[in-house]
Amino acid sequence: NPGAFTAVIPGVDGGAVTVDTIIAATGAVRNAAAPANVGVAAVLVSVDGLTRTLTNRINLPDNQFAIVVADSLTNPQQVVLAILKTNGEKVSATPLPAGWVPLLGPAAPAVNNPNPAAGGVGGAVPGLAFYIAENKQVYLAAKRPDDTAHAFIAFPLDASGPAVVAMPDGWFLAACTPNIRTYNFVMGRKLALFGSNSGTNTFLASCPSTGFILVDLLSGALTTSALPPNSDMVIGAAAGSFNDFLYATNLNGAGASRMASSIFVLDGADFSTLRLDVPAGLAGFQAPTTIPVMDSLVAAAQKRAAGDSGFVFFDLAQGAVRQFALPDGFTTATLAGFFPATRKLVARAMAADRRTSFIVYDIATGTATPVPNPDGVASLAARPGAAASPRLLVANANTNTISAVGFDADGNQVGVVTVRIP
C-alpha cells in the first residue's frame, strides 16, 4: 500500500485481533477487523478428543494459553475451556456450567461467506473469549440454548470452577453478525461490545444495537451505556474505533441505495453516548472516513448520489455536525486528503462538463475555495469524467501539499499538478 503500512494487533487481554492501516505521511490510524485467517484460526488443538476451536488462542502467564474447544463448530454438544502449555500439553479442561452454551457468531449466507459451515467470515473463529489479567480470569461469551439470556462465563486460572457473570437486566450481546468484536478503551480500562435488547443469534444483514456493554478490565464487572431514545444503530461494515471513540451508523439498504443518516458514538472518556444526524435537506451518506488527529469523521453527503452535496463533517469531541457544500458549477466531489496542520480538507470535484479540480475546505469556517487548474489541464488523477485513480493522487500532510497527474480534454497526461495547502 503506497504511503502506508499495516500492523496486526493482538486483542488486549485475549480480545479480538484487529488490523490497523497506518498512513506514513500523517500517522493517521484506520482500524478494522482482521481479515480472514489473520492471527485467528490455524491453532491445531486436540483436548480429550475435541478438535474444533471456537475462539482465538488467548495468551496467559507462565507460557500457557487458553482456547475453547468443542466437538462441532455449529452445534457443539461438548465444550471445554482448555488451558494448555505452549507445547500443547493439557493443564486443565473445564466444561461450561449446566444450562449454558458458547455464544457463536452466526454464519453469513453463502453469497457472503465462502465457508458458511465454519461460522465467522472466511473461516474465522465464531466465538469470543478474552483474558482479564487483574482478576486472572478468562471470560467466554455464552448464552442459554433458547436465546433467553446472554452472559460471560468466568474461568479462573486457579481452576476453582467457572462462574456466570450475568448481563444487566434486559441486555444481550448483539450477536447477529458473523464476528462478535470487542473494542479496547485505554483511558477507561474497559472493553466495549455492542449490546442489544434482543437475544437474536441468527444472521441479519443490518444487525441492530441499542447501546454498549462494558467490561471493566480491573474487576470484570459489567455495565451498560444506552443510546438516546429512538436510535436505530446497526453494526457491521460502517463501525469502528479510534482515539477512544467507538462509532456506528444506521446504514441500511443495499447497493446504491445503502445509506446512513446518523452516527452513534460511545465516548471512552466518560462512556457517554451521542447521536449525530446529518443536516436537514440531506438524504445521508454511505461510509465515513476517520480523521483521528481531529477526533472527527467525514463522509460524502448526498441527496441523490454520493458527493452531490459536498461533505458532512462529524466532530466527535465537540458533538457537532457541519455540511461542507459544493461551490457553484460543481456536481459531485470525493475526498482527496486532509491536512491537520492547517485544518483543511481537499476534495476532487467534478463539474457539469466532466472537468475536475481541487476544492480546499476550511474546517473551521466551512469555506470552499476552488483551485483553478493550470492551462491545458482539464482533469486531475483521471481522464475527464472518470473516477480518480488512487495511484495518480498523493496527499502529503508533512509538506501540506497535494499532487495529481493532470490530463487534457482529450484524456492525455500532460504533467503533475501540485498544490500547497495554505
Side-chain angles (χ1 to χ4, degrees):
N1 187 1
F5 58 94
T6 58
V8 178
I9 311 297
V12 173
D13 297 328
V17 175
T18 60
V19 172
D20 287 349
T21 299
I22 304 170
I23 309 303
T26 65
V29 178
R30 298 172 184 170
N31 176 265
N37 300 323
V38 174
V40 286
V43 181
L44 300 179
V45 172
S46 178
V47 178
D48 300 334
L50 305 177
T51 59
R52 302 296 186 179
T53 55
L54 300 184
T55 65
N56 292 324
R57 169 175 170 157
I58 304 162
N59 292 326
L60 301 174
D62 302 322
N63 295 316
Q64 297 179 351
F65 69 93
I67 195 164
V68 177
V69 190
D71 58 349
S72 169
L73 290 171
T74 55
N75 186 29
Q77 302 299 308
Q78 300 179 58
V79 184
V80 298
L81 185 284
I83 296 178
L84 308 174
K85 296 181 180 179
T86 52
N87 63 2
E89 180 183 343
K90 184 179 78 172
V91 176
S92 64
T94 307
L96 277 65
W100 294 95
V101 297
L103 178 62
L104 305 179
V111 66
N112 303 115
N113 180 8
N115 187 17
V121 176
V125 291
L128 170 68
F130 49 86
Y131 177 56
I132 300 180
E134 291 294 331
N135 62 17
K136 298 182 179 180
Q137 292 182 331
V138 176
Y139 270 33
L140 170 67
K143 68 170 187 173
R144 293 291 190 188
D146 61 0
D147 294 324
T148 56
H150 290 176
F152 285 107
I153 308 302
F155 294 85
L157 295 192
D158 63 8
S160 58
V164 177
V165 183
M167 295 288 165
D169 287 345
W171 283 83
F172 300 81
L173 294 175
C176 38
T177 61
N179 299 105
I180 303 170
R181 290 194 60 195
T182 63
Y183 299 84
N184 181 50
F185 287 94
V186 177
M187 291 189 297
R189 293 292 292 155
K190 295 182 189 295
L191 289 181
L193 301 95
F194 288 105
S196 174
N197 57 14
S198 168
T200 298
N201 192 204
T202 54
F203 178 83
L204 296 175
S206 294
C207 182
S209 175
T210 52
F212 306 90
I213 294 172
L214 306 170
V215 184
D216 190 295
L217 291 176
L218 298 179
S219 66
L222 303 185
T223 56
T224 62
S225 185
L227 292 172
N230 303 316
S231 296
D232 50 357
M233 180 170 70
V234 297
I235 60 175
S241 64
F242 67 97
N243 294 3
D244 269 13
F245 291 107
L246 173 57
Y247 69 91
T249 73
N250 61 349
L251 186 67
N252 216 323
S257 64
R258 190 168 171 81
M259 193 186 315
S261 59
S262 302
I263 282 180
F264 305 93
V265 183
L266 176 67
D267 188 336
D270 58 6
F271 297 100
S272 61
T273 60
L274 178 68
R275 173 177 179 157
L276 300 174
D277 298 319
V278 299
L282 295 179
F285 58 92
Q286 292 189 1
T289 297
T290 62
I291 308 179
V293 294
M294 299 182 187
D295 287 334
S296 300
L297 298 162
V298 64
Q302 69 180 79
K303 291 181 179 177
R304 291 172 296 277
D308 67 359
S309 299
F311 299 90
V312 185
F313 186 82
F314 300 92
D315 187 331
L316 304 191
Q318 299 299 320
V321 183
R322 297 197 300 279
Q323 181 184 359
F324 298 156
L326 285 175
D328 291 342
F330 292 95
T331 57
T332 60
T334 56
L335 185 66
F338 57 91
F339 299 86
T342 54
R343 296 186 64 78
K344 300 292 197 305
L345 294 179
V346 177
R348 175 186 180 266
M350 186 176 296
D353 62 3
R354 298 162 60 86
R355 295 171 178 256
T356 61
S357 303
F358 286 134
I359 296 175
V360 179
Y361 288 97
D362 186 311
I363 292 175
T365 65
T367 303
T369 304
V371 180
N373 290 340
D375 291 343
V377 175
S379 186
L380 303 171
R383 294 178 174 85
S389 168
R391 299 182 64 181
L392 304 180
L393 178 66
V394 177
N396 190 328
N398 288 336
T399 60
N400 247 48
T401 59
I402 189 165
S403 301
V405 174
F407 291 78
D408 64 18
D410 296 323
N412 301 309
Q413 293 186 11
V414 294
V416 175
V417 177
T418 297
V419 178
R420 184 175 295 279
I421 308 303

